[in-house]
Amino acid sequence: MIDPKASAHGNLASSRIDLQLIANRVETGTKVLDIGCGDGALLDLLVSDRNVDARGLELSQKGVNACVARGLSVVQGNADTDLSYYPDNGFDTVILSQTLQATQKPLDVLSEMARIGERLIVSIPNFGHWRVRLDLLLNGRMPVTGALAASWYETANIHLCTLRDFTDLADQLGLRVESCITLSGGRAREIAGKPSARHNLLAQQGVFVLRR
Amino acid sequence: MAAHITYLSETTLQQKFGRNLQDREAVSYGFDADFQIESYLRHQGMTFVERFDANSYLYITRAMDYFDLAADHGGNLAAAFEGTKTRFCVMSFTSDWLFPTSESVQTVRALNAAGANVSFVEIESDKGHDAFLLDEPEMHATLDGFLKSAAQARGLFSAKGGQG
């Protein structure tokens, strides 16, 4: 059986510099839920560096078992179906790193996140990056890049979007974009508010801090 | 004998006994233990009867039947865990048909709804309910991590080492 969330992480394993950036944006001593926490790398960072009361939700059994074995509080579950069991305002910050594009209903997942916590941190691969655009333009085939390494028929990333698509969706849900960090070639740049058309062209990934 | 079946799994029973015959070449069409599985369950049944008073089983099963945690909290299981400071770790085994994963998931959802600190793992095993008594490395690794972090949270275990 193909495990979609596990391979979503696998695809992006080499480019998880977003984790440290996300951790830096979490206040110490707060309560955090990490959805799609994989093997628990971010949770571990939050617990050890920022003294956070961190909980995780992960689809793959392997990921969950690895997390609990390293002492993290993680539950096996699905972002699409299990968020409804979390209480309103149960957390200060809700994190979704490189997982939104692998969910069945990104809109529902985001609105559930906003119900569970006031502050959201969401990182996504940017399908608007120039290489992706150029790849499609020149080859006429679904782009396969370093960050999105699987072919269209086997990728777990079923709901890809650009940075602009994402901010449009945030607007639709009444979520304010506080800041955005764009990542390109291992370099991070922080932008106050929404990314511009230029950022949308140059960034390989975006890390958004949203508030409801 | 019936209870004993629930401690095992279909795979285990199939592998261990299948349709093997007990000390005979052909079935006898009588009520004797023709199959190995019959003989095994009869033996287990007799052992239980010798070790325990049958009445104790009656009382235990009644106690389990009457136990309804949700009912004590207005039918809301999450309410039973409201305000708890305990750290929970729920484990289930894929082939356990006595306490199936689906029921563990219900407990975990209730704990989440109550904002409790809960971990939940499902462990792949064909050993059924009895897997928890056997050598299941993944269960031991999970338990080890959970206990260490719980001890750490209580200040009983300072260093993060020793987990390799």
Side-chain angles (χ1 to χ4, degrees), chain B residues 1-9 13 40-41 44-45 48 97 130:
Chain B
M1 277 168 23
H4 193 78
I5 294 173
T6 67
Y7 309 149
L8 308 172
S9 73
L13 290 170
Y40 171 77
L41 288 175
Q44 292 293 336
F48 267 65
W97 51 23
D130 272 356

Side-chain angles (χ1 to χ4, degrees), chain B residues 77 90 92 98-109 120:
Chain B
L77 187 58
V90 179
S92 70
L98 186 57
F99 293 138
T101 293
S102 59
E103 290 186 0
S104 293
V105 167
Q106 283 181 31
T107 309
V108 170
R109 285 174 173 171
F120 166 56

Side-chain angles (χ1 to χ4, degrees), chain A residues 155-176:
Chain A
T155 183
N157 303 314
I158 53 173
H159 280 125
L160 290 159
C161 69
T162 71
L163 300 188
R164 285 196 135 177
D165 289 325
F166 182 79
T167 54
D168 285 351
L169 183 61
D171 284 344
Q172 196 184 320
L173 287 165
L175 297 169
R176 188 164 52 85

